[in-house]
Each structure stands twice: as C-alpha cells, then as structure tokens.
Amino acid sequence: MMKTLQVLCDSFPYLLGGAGVTAAAVTGAMLLGLLIGVNLAVVQVYCGAWPRRLVGLYVWFFRGVPILVLLFLFYFGLFSVLGINLSTFVAVILVLGMTSGAYQSQIYRGAIQSLPQGQLKAARALGMSDRRAILSIILPQALRLSIPGFSNEYSILLKDSALAYALGTPEIMARTHFVASRTYEHLPLYLMAALLYFALTWIGVKLLRKLEEKVRIPGYSLN
Amino acid sequence: MTDQTMVLRVENISKRLGGRQILKDVSLELHRGELKVLIGPSGGGKSTLLQCINFLIPPDEGRIWLGEQQIEIHRKQDLYAYRQKVGMIFQDFNLFDHLNALDNVSIALRKVKKIARKDAEERAMRELERVGLGDKTTLYPSQLSGGQKQRVSIARALAMDPEALLLDEPTSALDPELIGEVLGVIRNLAQDGMTMIMATHQLGFIRTLADDILFMQDGQIIEQGSPAELLDAENGSRTQAFCAKLNELSDESET
Ligand SMILES: Nc1ncnc2c1ncn2[C@@H]1O[C@H](COP(=O)(O)OP(=O)(O)OP(=O)(O)O)[C@@H](O)[C@H]1O
Ligand SMILES: [Mg+2]
C-alpha cells in the first residue's frame, strides 16, 4: 500500500507532463483538422464535380484506415521515404490532424448546408464575391453551429491520441506504460492514466461549452 | 418624377428551370426615378425575373445594361460592381442572422467597398435612421419584428448607393399590421426619386405610386401600362380581372 502511494506520488509529475503532451498534440491536431475540415467542406458544398470527388476520396481514405495504420504508414513509411525528418510529436499532430480533418469536414458541411439559401443570395446581391460571402457570412454562422460537433470530435480524438504511444511519443499512455513496466503497479497507474484522460475530456468539453455560450447570437434559439 | 435617362435595360431574357420554360423573352426598361410594378399570378415568374436581373439566377439568354454598360456575367469584377449598384430586397428579408442591425447594414460597406469601419458605421447609422430604426442598431434579426427586419434590409441596400432597387414582394411575408411601415419607407424612396422595380400585390400602393404595371403570367409580360390604363374597370384588361379577384379575396378575409 505504502509502495503504491509512493509510486503514484513519484510518477505523478511525470504523468502530468504526459497529459501536457497529449493536450498539446490533440489541440494541434484539432486546429489542423479545423483548417483542413473547413476547406474540404467549402469545396464539397460549393465546388464542381472533380474537386468534390477528390475531397470524397480524401475523406473516404482517412475514415477508412485505422489510425494506428495511418501513424505507421506516415511516420515509418511516407515520411522516411520522402526523407522528411520529423519528431514523433509532429508526426502525431499531422496524422491525427489529417484524420480529424476528414471527420470535421462532415460537421462543417452539414452546418453550411443547414443555413438558409437566402444568406448567400443576400451576400451576392450586395456585390460580394463567393469567397467573401463564405468568409464573412457563411462560415461565421456555420462554425457557431459546429461547436457541439467539434466538441464531440475532440473527445473522440483525445482518446484516439493514446495510439501515439506506439510511436513512442511521450504522452500519457507511453509514460504510464513506461512507469508500470518498471514498478509493476499496473492497476493504480492505469487508473491514474484513465483519470487524466477523463480530466482532459472534461476540461475541453467545458471550455468549448463556454465558447459556444460566448459566441451565441442574442435572441437566437430553436424553441 | 421620371426623366428619360435609361438606368436599366433588360432585353429578351429567357430561363429554363427543371425542364420548364420559366421566362420567355422578357424585356423591360427602367428610367431614372421610375417605379415599375410586377404583378400576376403565383408562379408567373416574377421572382425569377428579378433574380435574373442581378444574375442571382443566370439567365439562359438575353442582355442586360446598366446605363451604357452591358453586363457580362463572366467578368466577375464587373458583375460584383453591377450588383452593388442594383440593390435587392427579398420577400423573406434574408438579413445576416449573426449580425446586429448596424453590422447588417455596414458589412458590405466594409468588406466590399472597403470603407473604414468608423465611416461605414456612421453611414449605416444614417440609413437606419432614414428607415426609422435609429434606436434598434444593436438588435439582432431574431430580436426584430418582420417589418423592422424588412426596413433593415432596405437600409442595407440603400447604404450601397444603388442606382436602382429590385423588390420582390417586400411585404408579403408580413403580418397585415406591419405592412404599412414598410410601404411607407418605399413610398418615401419613390418620392425621393429612387428607380425601382417591385413585385407586389398591394393595390392601393400600386394605384397611387406605380408609373407602370407589368402583368406577368407564364413567364411573359402579357400586359403593360399605367395604373389608370390597366386598372380601369371598363377596359376589360387581364390585370383588371386579376386585381378584382385580389380585392374580393381581401374583402372576404377581412369579414
Ligand atoms: N429552381 C427551380 N427549379 C425548377 N422550377 C423552378 C425553380 N425556381 C422556380 N421554379 C418555377 O418557376 C416558376 C416561377 O416561379 P417564380 O418564383 O418566379 O414565380 P413568382 O411569379 O415569383 O410567384 P409568387 O407570386 O408565388 O412569388 C414556378 O412555377 C416555380 O415552380
Ligand atoms: Mg415570387
């Protein structure tokens, strides 16, 4: 019992550091996914058949291949074939971000398509180019509607990020595994890891909920 | 009110949609300060025509001039400049839902005309005051009544300094008690010499303010003339028969 407590106390800062790495990687991946997802969604809604088909292919690929396979495929495969020398941390952000981008694109596509046609018409009628209308009129509304979906995607991606352990990224899972394999305190250590993931989920979802409240359009509700 | 300067010329517009010929060879001219009214049965093509005029719906055939300049839909910069000069008012307002009244009016000034925020907001403020909404600038569309929304959308169009306005049944989505405030604003515009083409079935308004009535049915303008010519009960025009029916209906609904 004493030994268990001792191990937990000693390793806590180390695991907390892992939580920091996890949080940074997932935040980076979510933001990369946002950038990719928004662009893919705009192409899917507003562009011609061929660009749409390419986006369809992208989404289909990243949704169809397991993340673990993607991590290995890119890190050990593609990046080394291309001679790109990346830290595992950056590789994880890229792969998780590209994957999340595929999922996020569908959130934004749905949100854009749920806006009334008249919004784009009114913007065009004022002399806005489509690009301008999308940036100033469509996306500000669509992104607000997407926050709940984004929050959901965050909680999923956070848990998927544990797979980064396979590349040896020093995140929660890798560090826990490292300590556990030395101290044999598997049960309490993995419980601790679970709690850290739980806490990160909770914090992220809470923050996004705050954001949703903050950017809510006054008087706008669905009742 | 009107002089002979041509503001807008629409020549032989045709449009097919969903395998049906919606507009057939429609032509019209708008002179400075003129108010032309489009009237006719539902599905006749009034909305389609108005949206073809500013290329929100690209016509299959036909030509459109603003003043001396023929508009080419493929020259994007010309098209955007043209749309700034031809304002549009929609039946269901189409205010930008995420912006308050002031930003609804000022956003195109800032993002399209590239006017500095402070100047754009001042201008927007003036336009909102002009439509009687100087005290509603911070309210969002969902906090405004239908009549107020439509007046904001008129202010939004006016802020661009348009040479002509296209109005598509601006009062038909409104509760009866709100129609007056919007028609009042449009009446003021007409009296100030704004060039307008407007789809509407408000007969009192048409009688007193329209210079010309275009009766549209099945995608064609089948009658055209002044209110005195077309609404006179004696002459047996299609327009007169249609308006008589409208009157009957509104009498029924009032009793
Ligand atoms: N995108 C479309 N595809 C197919 N048909 C269409 C489309 N848009 C409009 N139409 C048809 O075109 C015809 C003309 O419609 P339009 O809205 O221009 O009529 P309107 O005169 O404005 O009628 P209302 O008085 O009801 O507003 C209608 O029969 C309509 O069903
Ligand atoms: Mg219509």
Side-chain angles (χ1 to χ4, degrees):
Chain A
M1 192 63 209
M2 278 311 286
K3 188 202 161 216
T4 304
L5 271 182
Q6 189 67 43
V7 168
L8 280 180
C9 286
D10 288 349
S11 58
F12 185 71
Y14 182 64
L15 298 187
L16 203 59
V21 174
T22 294
V26 171
T27 305
M30 284 303 288
L31 292 177
L32 178 61
L34 173 73
L35 194 73
I36 294 174
V38 166
N39 282 289
L40 296 186
V42 166
V43 171
Q44 266 190 324
V45 178
Y46 296 111
C47 290
W50 274 106
R52 281 214 309 271
R53 234 164 265 165
L54 282 179
V55 169
L57 205 67
Y58 177 98
V59 172
W60 173 80
F61 176 76
F62 280 96
R63 289 208 296 197
V65 180
I67 290 182
L68 192 58
V69 176
L70 288 171
L71 283 169
F72 280 42
L73 183 68
F74 278 86
Y75 186 71
F76 297 117
L78 196 62
F79 294 159
S80 55
V81 168
L82 296 176
I84 306 172
N85 215 339
L86 293 176
S87 70
T88 61
F89 178 73
V90 174
V92 164
I93 288 183
L94 287 178
V95 171
L96 290 183
M98 288 189 291
T99 308
S100 185
Y103 287 97
Q104 288 187 43
S105 70
Q106 301 311 296
I107 301 175
Y108 308 133
R109 182 169 66 92
I112 291 172
Q113 284 172 336
S114 76
L115 299 177
Q117 282 283 317
Q119 296 288 308
L120 183 60
K121 273 195 176 167
R124 284 177 173 162
L126 287 165
M128 289 193 195
S129 63
D130 281 8
R131 194 188 135 76
R132 182 34 70 199
I134 288 167
L135 286 175
S136 296
I137 306 299
I138 302 299
L139 289 181
Q141 296 184 52
L143 289 177
R144 280 181 170 86
L145 295 176
S146 300
I147 296 175
F150 186 87
S151 171
N152 190 45
E153 169 65 12
Y154 164 78
S155 70
I156 294 171
L157 193 71
L158 177 68
K159 281 164 281 187
D160 286 346
S161 76
L163 290 165
Y165 132 91
L167 294 189
T169 318
E171 42 70 77
I172 298 175
M173 185 62 191
R175 291 192 180 191
T176 310
H177 179 75
F178 178 78
V179 180
S181 63
R182 261 137 233 260
T183 60
Y184 300 104
E185 295 287 351
H186 296 284
L187 182 63
L189 281 166
Y190 284 115
L191 263 177
M192 170 80 81
L195 278 177
L196 287 172
Y197 280 109
F198 184 80
L200 287 180
T201 307
W202 188 81
I203 292 168
V205 169
K206 260 273 180 295
L207 284 176
L208 286 167
R209 186 78 221 167
K210 275 233 159 68
L211 178 70
E212 193 183 341
E213 218 20 68
K214 190 166 179 289
V215 300
R216 202 175 61 86
I217 299 160
Y220 202 82
S221 68
L222 293 174
N223 52 34
Chain B
M1 268 289 134
T2 67
D3 63 30
Q4 285 315 299
T5 323
M6 181 95 65
V7 176
L8 202 60
R9 182 145 60 102
V10 173
E11 234 181 55
N12 306 106
I13 296 282
S14 295
K15 182 68 190 178
R16 287 185 77 83
L17 280 172
R20 275 184 49 222
Q21 194 73 34
I22 308 295
L23 294 177
K24 298 169 198 152
D25 234 9
V26 177
S27 300
L28 60 90
E29 291 174 358
L30 263 185
H31 297 94
R32 190 164 307 290
E34 193 177 23
L35 170 58
K36 273 194 159 70
V37 160
L38 281 174
I39 189 170
S42 179
K46 303 179 295 291
S47 299
T48 310
L49 173 61
L50 288 172
Q51 294 186 64
C52 277
I53 293 178
N54 66 357
F55 297 95
L56 285 184
I57 299 177
D60 298 334
E61 279 165 62
R63 288 164 303 281
I64 292 171
W65 281 266
L66 181 71
E68 298 291 296
Q69 189 195 9
Q70 187 182 345
I71 311 306
E72 274 286 344
I73 189 170
H74 303 292
R75 294 217 199 100
K76 290 295 178 198
Q77 293 313 318
D78 289 357
L79 176 65
Y80 302 148
Y82 166 71
R83 283 178 175 160
Q84 292 174 48
K85 292 182 205 147
V86 180
M88 182 150 214
I89 309 299
F90 299 87
Q91 183 172 351
D92 41 8
F93 329 125
N94 291 339
L95 290 185
F96 303 129
D97 290 325
H98 64 304
L99 300 175
N100 66 25
L102 191 72
D103 288 337
N104 258 285
V105 180
S106 67
I107 189 158
L109 294 175
R110 290 190 278 121
K111 302 291 181 182
V112 179
K113 292 205 167 192
K114 311 286 180 200
I115 296 174
R117 177 182 283 271
K118 188 171 151 291
D119 299 336
E121 286 181 349
E122 254 166 41
R123 175 66 199 267
M125 191 70 210
R126 279 211 304 283
E127 295 302 341
L128 284 169
E129 277 163 4
R130 183 165 161 196
V131 298
L133 293 173
D135 57 340
K136 300 277 189 276
T137 54
T138 59
L139 295 186
Y140 285 77
S142 53
Q143 299 169 315
L144 296 168
S145 73
Q148 292 168 337
K149 282 190 235 194
Q150 194 59 293
R151 285 188 282 153
V152 172
S153 98
I154 293 172
R156 178 173 72 175
L158 292 177
M160 302 301 280
D161 288 321
E163 291 180 30
L165 285 185
L166 316 170
L167 302 100
D168 190 3
E169 304 204 37
T171 59
S172 61
L174 299 177
D175 291 339
E177 74 272 19
L178 301 176
I179 291 176
E181 63 187 63
V182 172
L183 287 184
V185 168
I186 299 171
R187 177 175 299 120
N188 289 342
L189 288 178
Q191 283 160 358
D192 291 347
M194 175 59 77
T195 311
M196 295 186 273
I197 177 163
M198 170 169 169
T200 184
H201 291 144
Q202 295 294 321
L203 294 178
F205 179 89
I206 295 173
R207 250 183 252 280
T208 53
L209 284 166
D211 295 300
D212 219 7
I213 297 177
L214 310 178
F215 187 80
M216 230 184 143
Q217 190 170 356
D218 298 328
Q220 285 175 308
I221 295 172
I222 58 173
E223 280 180 356
Q224 174 163 9
S226 69
E229 285 162 9
L230 290 189
L231 296 181
D232 184 352
E234 314 294 80
N235 75 4
S237 69
R238 302 283 288 275
T239 312
Q240 202 281 326
F242 179 76
C243 293
K245 218 182 289 163
L246 279 186
N247 265 333
E248 265 171 46
L249 288 176
S250 66
D251 287 348
E252 273 169 31
S253 68
E254 271 160 28
T255 52

